[in-house]
Amino acid sequence: MDKFEILQKLSFYTLASPNRKREIENAATYMVITEARPLFLEGDVCRNIGFVGKGKIRVSKISQSGREITLYHVH
């Protein structure tokens, strides 16, 4: 799967004008995320938005006692 296949699944892209589509395509990057690789840490500034093309991402938090808590999954 590449960024264009993922974009084709998103209505904001498919319904966009040709000029807007080019802007989105030029700004989009494609990443393969390996298991257990942190994407963001609590308190980080979110500079990007991610879309999952295949697989899922687990969003978790470390409690004050040090236990990891799963908040939700993104598919």
Side-chain angles (χ1 to χ4, degrees), residues 35-72:
E35 189 173 331
R37 176 177 179 248
L39 298 176
F40 300 100
L41 298 175
E42 186 172 358
D44 284 353
V45 174
C46 183
R47 298 185 195 310
N48 301 299
I49 183 170
F51 298 97
V52 179
K54 182 178 177 182
K56 65 182 177 180
I57 295 173
R58 182 173 62 92
V59 178
S60 63
K61 179 177 178 133
I62 306 294
S63 71
Q64 289 181 347
S65 66
R67 290 186 55 203
E68 187 172 20
I69 303 165
T70 297
L71 301 175
Y72 55 90

Side-chain angles (χ1 to χ4, degrees), residues 11-59:
S11 61
F12 74 84
Y13 174 80
T14 59
L15 298 174
S17 70
N19 287 340
R20 181 67 67 197
K21 282 184 180 179
R22 271 192 298 281
E23 288 179 25
I24 294 167
E25 291 165 4
N26 290 335
T29 58
Y30 176 79
M31 294 175 63
V32 175
I33 307 301
T34 57
E35 189 173 331
R37 176 177 179 248
L39 298 176
F40 300 100
L41 298 175
E42 186 172 358
D44 284 353
V45 174
C46 183
R47 298 185 195 310
N48 301 299
I49 183 170
F51 298 97
V52 179
K54 182 178 177 182
K56 65 182 177 180
I57 295 173
R58 182 173 62 92
V59 178

